[in-house]
Amino acid sequence: MRILRTAFGGVVSASIACAAFADVPAGIAALEAGNVSGAVEEFQAGFDDGDADGAFFIGRLFEMGLGTERDMRRAVELYSAAAEQGSALAQNRLGLMYLNGELVLQDYQRAAELICTAAESGDANSAFNCGLLFADGQGVEQDAAMAVAFWREAAEQNHVAAINYLGQAYRDGTGVTQSYETAFDNFSRTGEAGNPLGLFELAKAYQSGNGVNPDLIKAHGYANLAAARGMEEARTLRDTLNAQLSRGDLEAAQSFAREWEATPLDQVAQ
């Protein structure tokens, strides 16, 4: 099946001499190197060789207007072709389009079918999104425990948002038995990696003593770090703590933030 046809005009040759060696990872590498036409050739060849993700990535080029005029309808066609052949990436993206009614009918049930099918393949983004659907009851029966299960799958793949949502679920006892300690462990993973929400949640935990011994110096330090990353709520907390700390403790808190260094997520102890 040829998915390019003449959509890219003269930019891409209809014949692909290197098809036997072409694949989607090579297309991604070409795209990162700025070679859009070469990337499309690789994606097309990958799709022709049975890799459904090839159509997905060409669809992304149409959606973003890279190497061609932006064409969302063509992108939908390509996502549909890729989704039908099992591309989890395309299923997730197309599912989000059904969820929001972007150039397709808004259809929560169809969105859930696509997104949660993709999640079953092990795709982290899809697992996170499927968890959101179960949390909100969109296209599926509302089920907080199922939401947690999908977020846990994504969290195991170091999906930052999933780790934070898992932390919030344990903090609030939504879908799981409440455990401030487990919530703190999850927020520590994202916070120590530099995620603003994770840092803010650490600040709140150290302020309240939920899941960890209270420590207003660390609470201020983490709030300061989160505020520097644009979290207005963290700035409010930091300024509140300013009035509660002695001059010496405030200097220690600012020193803590100044000397703090992020740790890559895959290196943060679980």
Side-chain angles (χ1 to χ4, degrees):
M1 173 183 177
R2 297 303 295 173
I3 54 179
L4 289 184
R5 300 191 181 94
T6 58
F8 282 80
V11 176
V12 180
S13 169
S15 62
I16 302 176
C18 59
F21 304 99
D23 56 21
V24 169
I28 295 172
L31 195 60
E32 291 175 344
N35 182 6
V36 177
S37 61
V40 173
E41 290 183 355
E42 300 285 7
F43 294 145
Q44 173 69 67
F47 184 77
D48 289 344
D49 288 343
D51 189 339
D53 285 345
F56 165 77
F57 282 108
I58 296 177
R60 286 292 287 166
L61 296 178
F62 274 106
E63 181 174 356
M64 299 173 70
L66 291 176
T68 181
E69 292 293 324
R70 189 168 186 265
D71 188 338
M72 286 297 294
R73 295 193 180 280
R74 188 74 178 112
V76 171
E77 292 176 2
L78 288 159
Y79 293 150
S80 297
E84 287 175 4
Q85 297 197 32
S87 168
L89 297 174
Q91 289 166 343
N92 182 60
R93 182 68 188 101
L94 189 60
L96 292 175
M97 297 180 84
Y98 274 104
L99 185 68
N100 298 315
E102 299 176 67
L103 292 178
V104 294
L105 291 174
Q106 188 176 56
D107 186 334
Y108 291 161
Q109 182 176 334
R110 180 59 176 151
E113 289 172 353
L114 286 163
I115 293 170
C116 294
T117 295
E120 291 171 0
S121 74
D123 179 64
N125 283 327
S126 303
F128 172 69
N129 290 331
C130 185
L132 291 178
L133 295 177
F134 274 102
D136 296 336
Q138 291 183 305
V140 291
E141 288 285 335
Q142 191 169 29
D143 189 328
M146 283 293 292
V148 167
F150 279 107
W151 291 335
R152 187 174 288 114
E153 288 182 16
E156 289 173 354
Q157 299 181 60
N158 290 334
H159 191 286
V160 172
I163 298 170
N164 281 334
Y165 271 72
L166 198 57
Q168 291 172 340
Y170 277 104
R171 181 197 65 196
D172 301 334
T174 305
V176 291
T177 300
Q178 187 179 51
S179 171
Y180 289 129
E181 291 77 11
T182 304
F184 180 83
D185 288 343
N186 278 279
F187 293 133
S188 291
R189 290 181 63 192
T190 60
E192 292 301 335
N195 175 259
L197 178 58
L199 289 166
F200 180 47
E201 290 291 346
L202 288 179
K204 292 193 295 181
Y206 276 111
Q207 180 197 33
S208 64
N210 287 335
V212 67
N213 291 330
D215 186 329
L216 294 187
I217 291 175
K218 286 187 177 180
H220 186 286
Y222 282 118
N224 201 6
L225 288 162
R229 287 160 173 76
M231 286 208 70
E232 192 62 31
E233 291 177 285
R235 179 181 177 183
T236 300
L237 175 59
R238 180 200 64 195
D239 293 347
T240 297
L241 291 168
N242 279 344
Q244 299 176 15
L245 295 175
S246 67
R247 176 169 296 185
D249 285 347
L250 184 56
E251 289 177 355
Q254 292 177 353
S255 177
F256 171 83
R258 184 170 55 251
E259 296 173 4
W260 178 90
E261 293 182 2
T263 303
L265 191 60
D266 59 1
Q267 296 179 25
V268 176
Q270 298 187 37

